[in-house]
Amino acid sequence: MVAMAGFIGRASEVAELRSAVDEAAAGRGGLVLLAGEPGIGKTRLAEEACHYAIAAGAAVVWGRCVELEGTPAYWPWIQVLRGIAQNAEHALRGRELGDMAREISRLVPEFGSGNGLIVRAPVDAGDRFRLFDAVSRLLRLVARTRNVVAVLDDLQWCDAASLALLRHLSRDVHDFGLLVVAVYRDLEIGRRHPLAAALPELSRERGARRLEVKGFGVDDVGRYLLAACGSVERGLVSSVHEQTGGNPLFVAELARLLQDEGELRQGALPQGVREVIGRRLDVLSGECKRVLEVASVLGRDFELELLCETARLPVPRVLEIIDEAVGAAFANPLRHQPGRYGFVHDLVRETLYQELPTPIRVQLHQGAAESLERRPGGGELAAPGPPLVPGGAGRRLGQGGLLCGAGRGAGDGQAGVRGGGSPIPDGTGQSLWPTGGGAPPLPAADRPG
Ligand SMILES: Nc1ncnc2c1ncn2[C@@H]1O[C@H](COP(=O)(O)OP(=O)(O)OP(=O)(O)O)[C@@H](O)[C@H]1O
Ligand SMILES: [Mg+2]
């Protein structure tokens, strides 16, 4: 059994959140936008700030968005207002709430007489404004006796009406004791997501700050493993850090595996990790995902040209596709190594790699090995070259992870198998890119998902 680790690291983020809590306590409220990838520790960080706020006497209320059909409009705010009704009840007792209560009771009956009130969301703009104004006045009233921290978690699943209320409140929080902590997965906010449109405005409001939660550094990974598993070797810490990018959820999953199996085997990807990464990969276009699957065969770092050859796609197209992957934070161009890219962490590569059906994986290994063999030096390790241009002459080629063997290379040692490669089918039985001979694409039924 893995011990639950106490709160680790995050000194600067915690300091920033505490300062926002202190400011709110002094009557200068604000909005903290807490962003980061799934499992990176956003909620845990918000909880840490809440412990501090509670100790300082604040009323802390949470509203969690959910990804569930049928969730009512304003759901996170309904939870916040219910929390206010319970948490800050003494601040409201004996007050004449009048029309404020009437408006709010449309969402949260506790604010009305409680006798059979019909919950009815606003129907037009005027109606909506009255509701927003009532919520704002209520929070202001509560904050006079006790400042309020409202955490809205998982805003990537927020409905548009809740976002509109958040925008309304964010315009005037700076002059009363309300701190809103808005937590969201930034990588799941596509351009057409309602939160994407709201974020620029929200972050410009007075008293707004944005905190991006990043992976643990290697020392914090070491602290985590130590707390979870007892003693750990330095080499193992570096390896877990490298594989997980310091994502605490992934570190925790690997720690569990380490406890159960006594070692970390290549390819033994914990289910929790696979699910989280798999869900994230779903935001990519099908073509981008397929190209990344090809790249997963080449290793943790891969060379653009080898990727193009193995995927049988022209360089400009692959560059576009890789841009999508970089934008979604799955891969990065390697610094000082033009023409080379790397997966953000090895668990992403491994997830993609494991999603490939074995026959296709073998074909891709073959294709890549043949490309390398055709090169001057027959696939010997070469120094990274200059930027690659389509059909450019005098190209120098870096080596993918394919033939590098253990560690950052491909997972099943198939690289040296000889034979014809074939492009990956797109799940419809058609090739995603033009075939250039070799084995025929697999039928759709052989592709997972
Ligand atoms: N600073 C930390 N110290 C110890 N454990 C942590 C820390 N940050 C995160 N964790 C642990 O890592 C796991 C994931 O963290 P958390 O749930 O906060 O991630 P998240 O960013 O909110 O993810 P999601 O987007 O899926 O909601 C949890 O088990 C949490 O307890
Ligand atoms: Mg969370």
Side-chain angles (χ1 to χ4, degrees), residues 247-328:
N247 181 309
L249 178 71
F250 299 161
V251 174
E253 293 282 351
L254 292 195
R256 199 163 292 137
L257 199 68
L258 198 59
Q259 286 275 289
D260 292 348
E261 302 192 0
E263 60 173 348
L264 289 179
R265 282 180 293 109
Q266 179 108 34
L269 198 59
Q271 187 61 20
V273 172
R274 194 195 301 249
E275 275 169 17
V276 172
I277 296 178
R279 273 182 60 118
R280 271 200 55 212
L281 287 165
D282 287 344
V283 306
L284 296 175
S285 65
E287 195 178 28
C288 183
K289 196 171 165 206
R290 302 264 189 286
V291 167
L292 287 185
E293 283 173 352
V294 176
S296 77
V297 170
L298 307 181
R300 163 83 188 267
D301 303 342
F302 54 89
E303 180 209 279
L304 180 71
E305 178 142 344
L306 183 60
L307 177 59
C308 297
E309 286 170 10
T310 312
R312 304 205 184 150
L313 282 176
V315 174
R317 183 76 200 107
V318 172
L319 276 174
E320 268 176 47
I321 293 170
I322 286 291
D323 265 358
E324 183 186 340
V326 171

Side-chain angles (χ1 to χ4, degrees), residues 42-43 153-154:
K42 304 176 295 295
T43 301
D153 202 359
D154 288 322

Side-chain angles (χ1 to χ4, degrees), residues 132-181:
F132 290 4
D133 183 52
V135 173
S136 174
R137 282 186 289 141
L138 177 87
L139 292 169
R140 213 175 260 274
L141 188 67
V142 173
R144 265 193 227 147
T145 44
R146 191 176 179 195
N147 69 300
V148 179
V149 176
V151 184
L152 304 176
D153 202 359
D154 288 322
L155 272 192
Q156 70 277 1
W157 297 319
C158 187
D159 60 292
S162 296
L163 276 178
L165 177 50
L166 174 61
R167 280 167 73 172
H168 183 97
L169 289 172
S170 68
R171 282 181 206 120
D172 52 21
V173 278
H174 61 87
D175 70 355
F176 72 100
L178 167 67
L179 175 67
V180 179
V181 182

Side-chain angles (χ1 to χ4, degrees), residues 314-367:
V315 174
R317 183 76 200 107
V318 172
L319 276 174
E320 268 176 47
I321 293 170
I322 286 291
D323 265 358
E324 183 186 340
V326 171
F330 285 107
N332 283 319
L334 295 187
R335 270 205 280 175
H336 312 305
Q337 298 190 48
R340 287 182 71 80
Y341 290 80
F343 285 103
V344 285
H345 47 68
D346 201 49
L347 295 177
V348 169
R349 186 198 67 77
E350 218 169 307
T351 305
L352 287 155
Y353 188 79
Q354 290 189 359
E355 281 185 12
L356 280 169
T358 304
I360 292 206
R361 207 187 280 169
V362 171
Q363 288 171 1
L364 289 170
H365 277 292
Q366 287 169 346

Side-chain angles (χ1 to χ4, degrees), residues 204-267:
R204 273 198 305 271
E205 292 299 343
R206 223 165 116 194
R209 39 185 129 190
R210 184 174 185 279
L211 271 183
E212 197 178 332
V213 188
K214 303 254 200 233
F216 284 155
V218 70
D219 289 342
D220 286 335
V221 168
R223 281 186 199 104
Y224 192 101
L225 291 178
L226 198 63
C229 317
S231 64
V232 275
E233 288 166 22
R234 188 78 206 161
L236 188 66
V237 173
S238 311
S239 153
V240 170
H241 179 250
E242 164 127 337
Q243 282 188 66
T244 59
N247 181 309
L249 178 71
F250 299 161
V251 174
E253 293 282 351
L254 292 195
R256 199 163 292 137
L257 199 68
L258 198 59
Q259 286 275 289
D260 292 348
E261 302 192 0
E263 60 173 348
L264 289 179
R265 282 180 293 109
Q266 179 108 34

